[in-house]
């Protein structure tokens, strides 16, 4: 297609007498290479104003009502008015043109131009083939150099990554060695420092009561407080009973003292009391005297 497109402008340029070399430089340009197997070139819209491409054309229904009109008659053919006079000239055969004589220079020019154009086209095809070969060689060389550049960049990247990894491993190793040395030194210092500290601390804790017998602690915290509370409750009951008994005894003693401190009643005249009369009286006094004791014994109960 490129050769045909180049030939057509060159044939048209021959009629306008434009130099062939100038057309070669201006119109022969390296076109787009053919697509690889399995692919095709597709035209891309590159205009300033993009338009939406759709398979279905947008249709809009519209209606319009017009007035009735009459058919216009056909326009008559315009025939200009005749002016001047008719004149005729008779030319005989061979008076103006001799084909055998006149065609020779034209044929020589056509044949020469055809041969020259054919030679130019052959030279252009050779030049285009050489340009394509140089372009392919340059593309192959460029691809090889690009592949080599990528390989060198990848190798350099791997070397940098390996170097960075080794540096980090070395720093991590130094950090772990330093940390291990610090731990060993701290452990040794702690062992030397705690050698005498641990026994003294345990002794102080034992003396302070942090280490104890659980049975003894249970007895001290649970059993003994309960026992003391029960004993205190019993003692309070006994003290209360004694207080009540003392108050009763004091009350009885005060009543006895009050009775004995009264003056005796006057004796009755004449008759002497018999034994039968004296006995009940004595028994009544004894009953009166014994009654507080009975009440005391009754109130002594808890």
């Amino acid at each position: 297609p490129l050769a045909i497109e180049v030939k057509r402008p060159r044939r048209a340029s021959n009629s306008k007498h434009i130099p062939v070399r100038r057309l070669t430089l201006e119109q022969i340009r390296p076109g787009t290479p053919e697509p690889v197997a399995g692919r095709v070139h597709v035209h891309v819209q590159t205009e300033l104003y993009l338009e939406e491409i759709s398979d279905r054309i947008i249709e809009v229904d519209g209606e319009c009502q017009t007035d009735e009109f009459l058919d216009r008659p056909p326009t008559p053919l315009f025939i200009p008015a005749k002016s001047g006079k008719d004149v005729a000239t008779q030319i005989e055969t061979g008076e103006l043109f001799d084909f055998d004589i006149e065609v020779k220079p034209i044929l020589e020019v056509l044949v020469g131009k055809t041969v020259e154009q054919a030679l130019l086209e052959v030279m252009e095809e050779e030049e285009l083939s050489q340009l394509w070969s140089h372009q392919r060689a340059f593309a192959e060389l460029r691809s090889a150099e690009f592949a080599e550049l990528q390989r060198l960049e990848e190798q350099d990247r791997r070397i940098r990554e390996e170097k960075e990894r080794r540096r980090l491993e070395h720093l991590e190793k130094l950090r772990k060695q330093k940390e291990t040395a610090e731990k060993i030194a701290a452990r040794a210092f702690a062992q030397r420092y705690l050698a005498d500290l641990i026994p003294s601390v345990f002794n102080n804790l034992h003396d302070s009561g942090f280490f104890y017998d659980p049975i003894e602690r249970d007895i001290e915290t649970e059993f003994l407080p309960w026992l003391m509370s029960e004993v205190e409750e019993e003692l309070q009951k006994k003290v209360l009973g004694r207080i009540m008994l003392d108050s009763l005894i004091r009350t009885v003693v005060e009543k006895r003292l009050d009775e004995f401190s009264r003056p005796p009643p006057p004796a009755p005249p004449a008759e002497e009391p018999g034994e039968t009369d004296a006995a009940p009286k004595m028994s009544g006094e004894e009953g009166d005297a014994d009654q507080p004791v009975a009440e005391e014994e009754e109130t002594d109960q808890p």
Side-chain angles (χ1 to χ4, degrees):
L2 183 60
I4 296 173
E5 292 175 1
V6 172
K7 288 177 183 179
R8 290 177 181 175
R10 289 191 176 280
R11 291 174 182 174
S13 64
N14 290 333
S15 61
K16 297 181 181 180
H17 305 286
I18 299 175
V20 178
R21 187 63 181 173
R22 179 174 152 190
L23 290 175
T24 303
L25 295 176
E26 290 180 357
Q27 297 184 4
I28 297 177
R29 296 179 182 177
T32 305
E34 293 296 330
V36 296
R39 296 185 181 181
V40 294
H41 291 320
V42 178
H43 293 284
V44 180
Q45 186 178 3
T46 58
E47 286 77 5
L48 295 178
Y49 301 97
L50 300 179
E51 60 180 6
E52 183 179 359
I53 299 175
S54 176
D55 295 339
R56 183 175 178 274
I57 300 175
I58 300 174
E59 298 178 356
V60 180
D61 296 335
E63 296 179 358
C64 179
Q65 181 65 35
T66 58
D67 298 333
E68 296 182 358
F69 59 91
L70 300 177
D71 294 336
R72 181 174 177 274
T75 303
L77 183 63
F78 174 74
I79 300 175
K82 187 177 180 180
S83 62
K85 296 180 180 181
D86 296 334
V87 177
T89 303
Q90 180 66 32
I91 299 175
E92 299 296 335
T93 303
E95 290 183 358
L96 298 179
F97 180 72
D98 188 0
F99 180 78
D100 293 335
I101 296 173
E102 298 293 338
V103 80
K104 185 177 180 179
I106 297 174
L107 184 60
E108 289 179 355
V109 172
L110 290 175
V111 172
K113 288 294 182 181
T114 303
V115 174
E116 185 181 359
Q117 186 69 23
L119 291 176
L120 287 175
E121 290 179 0
V122 172
M123 292 174 63
E124 289 174 0
E125 290 178 357
E126 292 293 332
E127 186 178 359
L128 286 174
S129 63
Q130 290 181 3
L131 288 175
W132 280 110
S133 63
H134 283 296
Q135 186 176 0
R136 286 193 298 270
F138 176 76
E140 292 177 358
L141 180 61
R142 184 172 177 275
S143 300
E145 290 179 353
F146 185 71
E148 183 67 18
L149 178 62
Q150 287 183 345
R151 187 185 65 81
L152 293 177
E153 288 179 354
E154 184 67 20
Q155 183 180 1
D156 188 18
R157 185 183 63 80
R158 289 197 301 268
I159 292 173
R160 288 198 307 271
E161 290 180 356
E162 183 68 19
K163 183 178 179 181
E164 184 68 19
R165 187 175 63 82
R166 294 290 180 87
R167 187 179 68 84
L168 294 176
E169 289 180 355
H170 183 66
L171 292 177
E172 185 68 18
K173 182 179 179 181
L174 292 178
R175 186 184 66 80
K176 288 184 177 180
Q177 289 180 356
K178 182 178 179 181
E179 185 177 356
T180 304
E182 290 178 355
K183 287 182 179 180
I184 293 173
R187 184 173 180 274
F189 177 76
Q191 287 180 352
R192 289 196 303 270
Y193 182 75
L194 297 176
D196 298 332
L197 182 62
I198 293 175
S200 61
V201 169
F202 275 99
N203 292 331
N204 292 333
L205 293 175
H206 189 273
D207 295 338
S208 300
F210 287 97
F211 300 102
Y212 56 84
D213 188 2
I215 299 175
E216 182 180 357
R217 175 58 63 88
D218 190 14
I219 292 173
E220 291 177 355
T221 57
E222 299 294 336
F223 179 72
L224 288 181
W226 174 80
L227 182 61
M228 294 300 294
S229 62
E230 293 293 331
V231 170
E232 185 177 359
E233 186 177 355
E234 291 294 332
L235 291 177
Q236 288 179 356
K237 289 180 181 180
K238 290 183 178 181
V239 169
L240 181 60
R242 289 180 180 179
I243 292 172
M244 295 296 294
L245 181 60
D246 293 340
S247 63
L248 292 174
I249 292 172
R250 185 170 52 255
T251 303
V252 171
V253 170
E254 289 178 354
K255 287 182 179 181
R256 291 281 184 92
L257 182 60
D258 189 16
E259 291 178 357
F260 287 120
S261 61
R262 292 177 184 177
E271 295 181 1
E272 294 180 0
E275 294 179 0
T276 57
D277 296 331
K281 187 178 180 180
M282 291 299 294
S283 61
E285 290 178 359
E286 290 177 0
D288 295 335
D290 294 338
Q291 184 176 2
V293 177
E295 292 177 359
E296 181 180 354
E297 290 178 358
E298 291 177 358
T299 56
D300 195 14
Q301 297 298 328

